[in-house]
Structures are given as C-alpha cells and as structure tokens.
Amino acid sequence: MASKQNGTRNAAGAGSIRKKAVTRGGKEYIYWEARYTAGYDPGTGKQVQRSITGKTQREVAQKLREITAELDSGTYQEPSKMTVGEWLDTWQKEYLGNTKAHTKKSYEGIIRNHILPEIGAVKLSALTPIQVQRLINGVKSTKKSIQNQPVNPKTVKNVHGVLHSALNQAVQCGYIRTNPADRTILPKRSKAEIHVLEDKQVLEFLKAIQGHRFEYLYQLDLFTGLRQSELLGLQWPDIDFEHQTIQVKRQLLYLGGGNKGYQYAIPKSNKPRTVVLPDLALQALRLQQKKQNELRLLVGPAWNNPDNLVFTDEMGSHLKHDVVYRNLKRIFTAMGVPNLRFHDLRHSYAVLSLQSGCDIKTVQENLGHYAAAFTLDTYGHVTEQMRRDGADKINRYVEGMEEKMG
C-alpha cells in the first residue's frame, strides 16, 4: 500500500486540508484529510494534532469548520478511542442498574446477537449513520430454522431501540457529538393479526383440557386474561374468595441459567392491579386449591411450596414456562389450531369480554394495558363489529316501530 499527497489548501484560516491518495491492491483511492490543533500536551507543551477525513473537500471543510468553532467556544470534545463494543459493555454495567431483570436480559441478547457482530469493533467516535442503517437493514432472526425469512419489524425496532439508547448516553457523557442512530429508517410495522378461540372452539378447548395436569391454570387464563408469568407467580394470599378478586402483584420470570434462573418481578405495567373473577374462574381456583391440598397430603414432608404458589408441580415447586407452554401447544395441535400460542388465551379472554358487553376501560384494566387506546387498537376489529351490531339493532328497532305504527 502506498500513499501520496497532492497539495495543501487552507480552510478559513484554521487547520489545513490536503487531497490524498492511497493505493490498495493496485487501485488508487482519493480522499481528503484535514489536520487541526486540538490543544497542547500539558507535559511537553507540544501541539496536539488531530485529523479528520472524508470523500470530498467540501465534506472535510465543513467538519473542520465545526471543530474549530467548538475549539473557539470551548465546547470541543476529544474523539473517544473506545469501540462501540467497549462502550456497550460500560453502558450495560453502569446504566442499566434500575432496569427490570427480564428487560436487561433482553438487552444483553440483542447486543450479543445483533449489534456486536456487526459494529462492535468500530470506533465509537467513527460510527456513522450509514453503518447503523446497514446494521438495521441486515437484522436477522436468531432462530436457525427461520434465519432466511423476513424478520419481524418489532425485532428490528427493538435492536434499534437498544443501540439508540446506548448511543444517547454516549452523547450525554461527551464521547460522541451526535447520535448516529437518530436518522435511521425503520421498516413499517404491519398490525399483528390476533388469533383467538372461536365460540365453538372455546367449548372444545374446555373439553380438551378436562383432567389435564394444568386444567385449572388454562381455565383461569381463559377467564381472566392473565399473562403466563403472572399466573405462574400467583400466590394464594393474592386470592380473595369472598370478594371474588385477584391481586396481580408479581410475575415469575425465567432469566436463564446464567441469570439466577427464575425470579419474581413486578407486573409488566409496573403496578399491581385487581381483577374481578367471573364464577367460572372462581370455580377453577377452588378446584385447584382442592387438588393442591390432596397433593400436599399425598407427598407429606417432601412437599415444598414456601411461596404458597397457586400453581405448582406434584412436589410443590414452581412450574416452568416451557413445560406449561409445550403442553398447551399439544392441546391446540390436537384441536386443529397449531398456530395458537399461550398468549392467544389472553386474546381470547379479551374478545370474550368485549363481546359479552364489558366496557373497554374494564377490559384494559383487567389486562394490565397502560392505556385504553392500546386495548382499542389491539382489538379494534372486535369493537368495530360491535359498533356495526349496535347500528343494526337500532335499525331493527326503528323498523319494528314503523311496522307497529303502520
């Protein structure tokens, strides 16, 4: 590799700009370089020289003007020598202390699987918007079975969100002047299709789970809409049989073997909520209590349920998310609806509630959504049909009045 300089031009009386050429693999590449004095070394008194490069003289001149203006105003910041990967390590260690354990684990996975392989070795101060855009455009699924399929736009948004937050903190700390992730163009998110159990399938599902080890857990989910982690973290003191309510105070999360396994956390909405139980949900809880008492008597001293959990295995220990999920998927597959997930029981509860006449605010509070607008947006197809049904009822009522008067 060889390089040469083709001349010197002054830039507004501050620093200098040179046209340079470098030869790689027998091909010559032209670029522009500006050098400026960033200050003086306190030990030697010598000038501290810095350089910036670009494809055109105009680009480099603009950068040089910005830097010299910062030097004159006293706002100049030395370019950081750390890499993006080194900054992300610092960011995770120093700035995620108050983040929920489950969210922190998600951030770690995004950084490890998506960000570090692409830009981890890039100098933080040299990271450009186009490099961030390339990263976002190239996000792939971490599941080997679907790596060649289009990735969910939500996944792309999550990757960008983590990187953007980390780079924002770097700006606040003075390591970079601007956030190169500010102007990233994200893929448009299409509204996710909601899958639910239809009326006939609800009855079929209740029949299919009869006698199953998780029968009452699945029933409670269908009749309350609790999240899986909230069901697994439910404790008997949370149940008020007299007033027919559940206090949703916690969720049981799996954080992986390297993250102390299972941990309790506050609900996703960051606050507890009260869910009023329909009779079918209350009945399921009474039957679960009876079943658990029988198991405790059968096991005797080996019974181990120190947290007084509502749903446990045969020895009193907490249930594992994947075991509960896989059992439900087998039931759905046998019913001919293999595409349904555990979360679709929650969707089914919401649709049943709305169709039964519950107001949107009650459904929102029972589900633990942060706003009724989110619930409306998620189940808009249901409320739209309800509005049409309401209009039809008015039409039929008026028509009936006209017939009587005629």
Side-chain angles (χ1 to χ4, degrees), residues 137-148:
N137 293 345
V139 171
K140 297 179 181 178
S141 173
T142 56
K143 296 181 180 179
K144 293 183 179 180
S145 59
I146 58 174
Q147 278 185 343
N148 295 325

Side-chain angles (χ1 to χ4, degrees), residues 96 300 391 395 400:
L96 297 184
N395 291 336

Side-chain angles (χ1 to χ4, degrees), residues 212-218 220 228 230-237 252 262 264 284-285 287-297 299 302-321 323-324 327:
H212 192 279
R213 59 187 292 208
F214 301 138
E215 175 183 2
Y216 306 126
L217 186 154
Y218 296 148
L220 189 63
Q228 182 186 19
E230 293 171 344
L231 286 164
L232 300 189
L234 196 62
Q235 300 177 3
W236 286 113
L252 181 64
Y262 285 84
Y264 290 115
L285 281 167
L287 291 172
Q288 172 62 20
Q289 191 176 50
K290 181 175 180 290
K291 175 184 175 181
Q292 193 178 85
N293 286 336
E294 292 172 351
L295 282 173
R296 183 168 60 245
L297 289 174
V299 173
W303 180 260
N304 182 33
N305 184 14
D307 294 331
N308 215 2
L309 291 168
V310 173
F311 298 106
T312 66
D313 63 14
E314 291 75 8
M315 303 301 292
S317 297
H318 67 77
L319 296 175
K320 295 181 178 180
H321 293 66
V323 174
V324 174
N327 275 268

Side-chain angles (χ1 to χ4, degrees), residues 86-123:
E86 289 169 340
W87 167 244
L88 289 172
D89 286 342
T90 300
W91 180 69
Q92 291 179 86
K93 181 179 179 181
E94 305 297 342
Y95 293 98
L96 297 184
N98 294 325
T99 306
K100 291 180 182 178
H102 189 63
T103 303
K104 186 176 181 180
K105 179 176 179 288
S106 174
Y107 285 5
E108 291 170 351
I110 287 173
I111 290 171
R112 180 177 61 254
N113 296 322
H114 298 289
I115 301 178
L116 290 181
E118 300 300 323
I119 60 172
V122 176
K123 278 192 176 182

Side-chain angles (χ1 to χ4, degrees), residues 3-31:
S3 64
K4 58 183 178 180
Q5 299 179 5
N6 291 339
T8 302
R9 287 176 171 83
N10 292 327
S16 59
I17 298 178
R18 295 180 176 86
K19 185 178 181 181
K20 305 187 75 173
V22 62
T23 301
R24 292 191 179 97
K27 186 175 181 180
E28 185 178 69
Y29 297 89
I30 303 298
Y31 68 99

